[in-house]
Amino acid sequence: VEFKLQTTKKSSSSLPERWESYSFDQIYDHYECKAQAEDKSKPIPSLAQWLFLRKQYKEFVDDTMTFDDPIPPTMGYSYDESHNTPPFYAKLDPERGRGLYASRNIQRLEVVHYWSGHDVTFPDANAFRQFVFSLPKRMACDVVDWAWSRKISGSENGPEVICLSMNIASLMNSGDGPGEVNVSINSSTSDSFFATRDIMKDEEILTHFVRK
């Protein structure tokens, strides 16, 4: 895939000094994201917010990217060829905050979520930084929280790239321990999250994330 990296439209005065070398943690600290991360009342992103993220990606990272899935990002993505939605929905819980919940009973080993054509990658760290610094503070904090790295070459020894789901799949939370986790991938190159046990309808879907 060939990416066209465009020059950021933000003025140099609005960017932090040496922003080109910022790490995830430095971006997190720059935007003071800790308070937002701990805020259990922050709303689920609206359709307009998801579409804005996609617009910024096209403008700052890859202007050839198309987002033509008939399923709106507020409902996930096309889970199959019939354009059914994935077996989860987004909900704001007053105690746990935003999360994904099973929309039906899910059987053990069933694919709950998979890498879809509308998840995006960044050609390099600088492209990710330009994208993040093009966003309002709250969106920037969300993106830093949601982004992850994975191998997409099909090889355990292949390079890792930064990835981002621009739909409610990004709201999947991490479980507090093995007893809470109910979905997981089976390798670092896997495209799919499988149910590790039977999941009941309306139960929160939880995985295990490790920020490298």
Side-chain angles (χ1 to χ4, degrees):
V1 178
E2 181 180 353
F3 292 87
K4 181 178 179 182
L5 182 59
Q6 299 184 2
T7 303
T8 179
K9 308 243 182 344
K10 279 199 173 185
S11 67
S12 58
S13 62
S14 65
L15 295 169
E17 186 177 357
R18 293 190 293 276
W19 66 272
E20 299 94 334
S21 63
Y22 267 41
S23 66
F24 270 93
D25 290 340
Q26 287 173 313
I27 296 173
Y28 188 88
D29 292 340
H30 171 74
Y31 281 114
E32 300 176 329
C33 294
K34 187 175 186 293
Q36 179 173 326
E38 296 175 348
D39 179 10
K40 302 301 183 184
S41 68
K42 56 181 178 288
I44 293 170
S46 66
L47 177 59
Q49 289 171 318
W50 290 120
L51 296 181
F52 178 77
L53 281 179
R54 295 178 175 190
K55 180 186 78 68
Q56 295 301 94
Y57 182 84
K58 287 176 64 71
E59 182 173 352
F60 288 92
V61 183
D62 179 14
D63 63 5
T64 69
M65 181 66 181
T66 58
F67 297 99
D68 55 2
D69 192 332
I71 301 299
T74 50
M75 297 177 66
Y77 52 87
S78 289
Y79 182 72
D80 54 31
E81 293 182 354
S82 298
H83 301 299
N84 290 307
T85 58
F88 52 71
Y89 62 92
K91 185 179 81 170
L92 179 63
D93 183 273
E95 294 184 0
R96 297 183 64 88
R98 302 181 299 193
L100 292 183
Y101 292 79
S103 56
R104 57 172 173 78
N105 291 339
I106 300 172
Q107 295 184 338
R108 179 177 177 271
L109 299 183
E110 185 176 344
V111 174
V112 178
H113 166 57
Y114 69 91
W115 174 261
S116 76
H118 296 291
D119 292 334
V120 300
T121 60
F122 296 83
D124 52 47
N126 202 47
F128 178 76
R129 295 183 190 104
Q130 286 193 325
F131 173 71
V132 171
F133 284 120
S134 79
L135 303 172
K137 174 181 176 178
R138 293 188 68 86
M139 280 191 177
C141 288
D142 278 339
V143 166
V144 172
D145 186 40
W146 296 337
W148 78 100
S149 63
R150 71 185 292 265
K151 300 178 188 294
I152 61 172
S153 66
S155 169
E156 291 286 347
N157 298 320
E160 291 190 344
V161 296
I162 300 173
C163 307
L164 180 66
S165 293
M166 294 190 176
N167 56 63
I168 60 169
S170 280
L171 302 180
M172 186 185 299
N173 289 320
S174 185
D176 292 334
E180 278 201 348
V181 171
N182 52 25
V183 301
S184 181
I185 58 175
N186 56 18
S187 76
S188 63
T189 60
S190 176
D191 288 336
S192 303
F193 286 77
F194 297 89
T196 59
R197 60 171 174 77
D198 290 346
I199 302 172
M200 300 300 293
K201 184 178 183 295
D202 297 322
E203 182 180 350
E204 186 172 7
I205 294 172
L206 297 167
T207 190
H208 178 61
F209 293 115
V210 177
R211 170 67 53 78
K212 292 186 178 181

